[in-house]
């Protein structure tokens, strides 16, 4: 064992073996690796994972463990604090380096910086890698050296970098070091609900790397070609549904881009769909850029004029919205799709968020928190950007006068009523008394917005 080196790989939201730069670099540099996942939800600041995210995480860790076991490697689980858990593993194995893939949420980036300096102070090398982004949040800036607040110029600055992406890494050959001290079992992390409300999630999803890769392949083959139109249709299987897989890093954006490029080769008819898909991946990048540079936006509006906006808190209205009892079929269908499957179509997310923040005048944070608990793809960057965009107070926000009419939206995007029909019962249709008058509430919202002094 003399002169042999050991490295720790700290898995976080990069729960995959392929195209995992931290895992590949550790396996290339060290003779042996120790693979660790530390459960430390209280290190995530005000936004520890919600119930649906925890459900997904359980499935994803189970899958990664079994995939690794198939390659003769073990994933060791630990309880936080992360630094203590890592130091204990380092001491037990004699490791001299810890590898991880970067995270960008403010609380986690802060935690990682502290862990890194403490490890270095203890004589341990640290290597952090880029796995979750096509473009690091600090890589692009305006001509004045400032962060972007508007998507189109941001994405224009990013596009050349998409041509310089590193090659996709295959799963590495893994040789593990012994770690005798036992940690908790997956069940002991208590990620799954005690009362099993999760049957709808079980039916809808296949967490893990294999499920992610299968979905990407199916999307590229069958949906990508028509995606620029089908993405606006909640009644169709017209989008990738990769968002939870991307959030947990079961697949990376580089793999999505590469697969879409392969699917495009020799198929000019897929160009529009390809462009639209890459642009949506771009919104995910933009969300991380904005969150990195404006970390306060998780709880405060980016547009400071909104700090004094008069919301009209009403727990009764909020509860009706959460339960899908607003009397607007497309809104109620969306809220039930969310509750049952942990996911909602993007167009419907915009419609339900507009009704909540503009017609019902409930605070965007109330909506963001509900999404946070119920979405399997709950992502601090994308959720914050999405809510502030719809509320009109964020980066590149929808103009304040854009107030979605849920009836017009339904006619346009669910023309045959197939989407609402899937989520509402005949009884729901017979009692749809709207909880708010669309015209009057629209006028009241416009009035309140006009007082912001634009
Ligand atoms: P596709 O249409 O197939 O898009 C491909 C990928 O691009 C997605 O998987 C996603 O990673 C990314 N993407 C697409 N649209 C957006 C967008 N507008 N912003 C950021 N990334 C995008 N997305 C989340 O991942 N987590 C959230 O918590 C979240 N909250 C949202 C809240 C609101 C109010 C709104 C309006 C949008 C929110 N979104 C969120 C963005 C978007 O609705 C989802 O990413 C998308 O519906 C996921 O479905 P998909 O994978 O089929 O997307």
């Amino acid at each position: 064992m003399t002169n042999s080196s050991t490295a720790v790989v700290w898995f976080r939201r990069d729960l995959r073996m392929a195209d995992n730069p931290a895992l590949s670099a550790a396996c290339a540099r060290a003779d042996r690796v120790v693979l660790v996942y530390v459960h430390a939800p209280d290190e995530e600041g005000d936004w520890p994972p919600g119930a649906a995210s925890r459900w997904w995480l359980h499935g994803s860790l189970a899958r990664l463990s079994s995939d690794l076991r198939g390659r003769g490697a073990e994933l060791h689980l630990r309880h936080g604090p992360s630094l203590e858990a890592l130091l204990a593993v380092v001491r037990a194995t004699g490791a001299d380096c810890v590898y991880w893939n970067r995270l960008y949420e403010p609380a986690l980036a802060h935690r990682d910086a502290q862990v890194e300096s403490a490890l270095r102070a203890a004589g341990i090398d640290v290597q952090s890698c880029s796995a979750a982004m096509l473009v690091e949040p600090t890589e692009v800036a305006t001509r004045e050296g400032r962060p972007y607040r508007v998507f189109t110029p941001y994405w224009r600055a990013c596009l050349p970098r998409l041509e310089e992406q590193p090659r996709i890494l295959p799963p590495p050959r893994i040789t593990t070091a012994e770690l005798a001290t036992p940690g908790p079992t997956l069940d002991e992390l208590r990620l799954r609900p005690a009362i099993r409300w999760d049957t709808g999630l079980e039916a809808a999803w296949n967490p893990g790397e294999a499920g992610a890769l299968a979905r990407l392949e199916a999307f590229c083959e069958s949906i990508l070609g028509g995606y620029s139109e089908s993405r606006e249709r909640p009644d169709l299987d017209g989008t990738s549904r990769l968002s939870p897989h991307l959030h947990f890093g079961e697949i990376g954006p580089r793999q999505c881009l590469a697969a879409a490029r392969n699917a495009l080769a020799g198929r000019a008819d897929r160009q529009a769909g390809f462009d639209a898909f890459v642009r949506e991946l771009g919104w995910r990048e933009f969300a991380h850029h904005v969150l990195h540079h404006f970390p306060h936006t998780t709880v405060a509006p980016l547009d400071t004029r909104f700090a004094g906006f008069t919301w009209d808190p009403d727990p009764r209205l909020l509860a009706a919205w959460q339960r899908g009892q607003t009397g607007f079929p497309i809104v109620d269908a969306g809220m039930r799709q969310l509750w049952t499957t942990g996911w909602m179509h993007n167009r419907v997310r915009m419609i339900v968020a507009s009704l909540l923040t503009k017609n019902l005048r409930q605070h965007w944070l109330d909506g963001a928190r509900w999404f946070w608990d119920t979405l399997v793809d709950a992502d601090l960057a994308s959720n914050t950007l999405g809510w502030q965009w719809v509320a009109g107070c964020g980066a590149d926000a929808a103009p304040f006068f854009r107030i979605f009419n849920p009836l017009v939206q339904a006619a346009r995007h669910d023309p045959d009523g197939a989407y609402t029909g899937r989520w509402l019962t005949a009884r729901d249709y017979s009692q749809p008394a709207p909880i708010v008058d669309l015209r009057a509430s629209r006028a009241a919202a416009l009035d309140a917005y006009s007082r912001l002094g634009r």
Side-chain angles (χ1 to χ4, degrees):
M1 289 289 288
T2 47
N3 289 335
S4 78
S5 63
T6 301
V8 174
V9 179
W10 181 17
F11 277 94
R12 298 107 65 82
R13 289 208 317 266
D14 50 354
L15 303 175
R16 64 180 187 264
M17 295 189 297
D19 205 41
N20 184 326
L23 177 64
S24 287
C27 290
R29 169 173 144 172
D31 299 310
R32 291 179 179 73
V33 294
V34 192
L35 313 177
V36 183
Y37 180 86
V38 184
H39 182 53
D42 48 345
E43 293 175 6
E44 305 207 20
D46 296 334
W47 299 91
S53 296
R54 291 196 299 275
W55 175 86
W56 189 286
L57 180 59
H58 180 103
S60 194
L61 286 171
R63 189 64 209 223
L64 180 65
S65 294
S66 94
D67 290 349
L68 287 169
R69 218 168 288 134
R71 290 171 171 260
E74 173 130 12
L75 181 65
H76 298 277
L77 302 180
R78 290 292 183 267
H79 283 296
S82 296
L83 176 60
E84 284 170 29
L86 291 171
L87 281 172
V89 171
V90 162
R91 284 191 200 110
T93 57
D96 59 7
C97 189
V98 179
Y99 285 79
W100 66 69
N101 291 309
R102 284 191 279 281
L103 292 170
Y104 304 91
E105 289 80 358
L108 292 174
H110 179 68
R111 187 268 319 266
D112 287 352
Q114 290 186 321
V115 169
E116 178 170 352
S117 58
L119 287 173
R120 287 194 189 285
I124 311 299
D125 188 20
V126 170
Q127 296 292 330
S128 73
C129 306
S130 169
M133 296 279 98
L134 296 167
V135 181
E136 291 286 295
T138 48
E139 243 178 280
V140 288
T142 65
R143 217 173 289 156
E144 297 77 38
R146 299 210 185 93
Y148 286 97
R149 297 165 69 114
V150 177
F151 174 75
T152 303
Y154 162 80
W155 194 231
R156 207 180 298 125
C158 290
L159 282 176
R161 283 156 208 271
L162 302 198
E163 306 309 318
E164 304 155 5
Q165 294 295 312
R167 72 184 177 89
I168 305 295
L169 300 164
R173 178 194 285 269
I174 305 173
T175 308
T176 53
E178 283 283 308
L179 177 59
T181 41
T185 63
L186 182 54
D187 282 333
E188 284 166 353
L189 299 188
R190 294 177 185 275
L191 295 167
R192 277 192 301 191
I195 300 166
R196 299 300 300 268
W197 49 258
D198 53 345
T199 48
L201 273 61
E202 296 271 4
W205 297 104
N206 185 12
E209 185 172 12
L213 290 170
R215 183 66 199 172
L216 176 62
E217 194 183 326
F219 169 76
C220 286
E221 200 40 51
S222 315
I223 302 174
L224 181 69
Y227 174 77
S228 60
E229 282 160 20
S230 66
R231 61 182 285 270
E232 293 292 2
R233 293 285 300 271
D235 55 334
L236 306 176
D237 184 14
T239 67
S240 73
R241 300 196 188 213
L242 285 168
S243 49
H245 298 291
L246 277 163
H247 173 76
F248 286 95
E250 298 166 355
I251 198 166
R254 282 197 282 269
Q255 291 165 287
C256 296
L257 181 62
R261 276 187 175 143
N262 277 344
L264 179 65
R267 291 289 304 263
D269 57 317
R270 289 178 170 167
Q271 187 69 51
F274 172 85
D275 292 343
F277 181 60
V278 175
R279 195 177 156 84
E280 291 312 306
L281 291 176
W283 274 99
R284 179 176 172 277
E285 303 281 322
F286 182 54
H288 285 80
H289 178 80
V290 172
L291 181 61
H292 174 81
H293 290 288
F294 305 102
H296 64 283
T297 54
T298 58
V299 288
L302 181 66
D303 184 336
T304 49
R305 283 171 300 183
F306 269 80
F309 185 72
T310 47
W311 303 100
D312 193 5
D314 183 337
R316 201 181 42 91
L317 291 178
L318 180 62
W321 177 82
Q322 290 170 335
R323 289 184 195 134
Q325 293 172 345
T326 67
F328 297 103
I330 195 148
V331 173
D332 295 345
M335 299 309 288
R336 293 182 200 190
Q337 180 183 31
L338 172 62
W339 181 253
T340 309
T341 68
W343 185 85
M344 192 196 293
H345 188 277
N346 180 59
R347 169 61 49 179
V348 188
R349 291 187 204 206
M350 292 194 282
I351 299 169
V352 304
S354 175
L355 188 90
L356 185 75
T357 56
K358 293 185 169 166
N359 300 96
L360 301 179
R361 292 270 288 282
Q362 303 303 296
H363 202 297
W364 66 269
L365 261 174
D366 287 328
R369 289 203 180 97
W370 182 252
F371 269 31
W372 187 254
D373 199 38
T374 51
L375 277 173
V376 287
D377 67 17
D379 180 276
L380 197 54
S382 299
N383 201 39
T384 305
L385 186 91
W387 276 97
Q388 291 212 18
W389 187 87
V390 176
C393 60
D396 208 2
F400 71 97
F401 51 79
R402 159 108 53 105
I403 299 179
F404 287 96
N405 180 316
L407 306 176
V408 174
Q409 290 285 316
R412 194 174 296 156
H413 300 290
D414 182 29
D416 309 319
Y419 176 74
T420 48
R422 201 173 307 144
W423 298 106
L424 301 184
T425 63
R427 196 159 164 268
D428 294 318
Y429 281 107
S430 67
Q431 311 173 312
I435 53 168
V436 68
D437 181 282
L438 287 180
R439 193 182 292 194
S441 59
R442 181 174 196 280
L446 290 179
D447 184 49
Y449 281 113
S450 70
R451 276 184 264 118
L452 285 174
R454 283 165 194 274

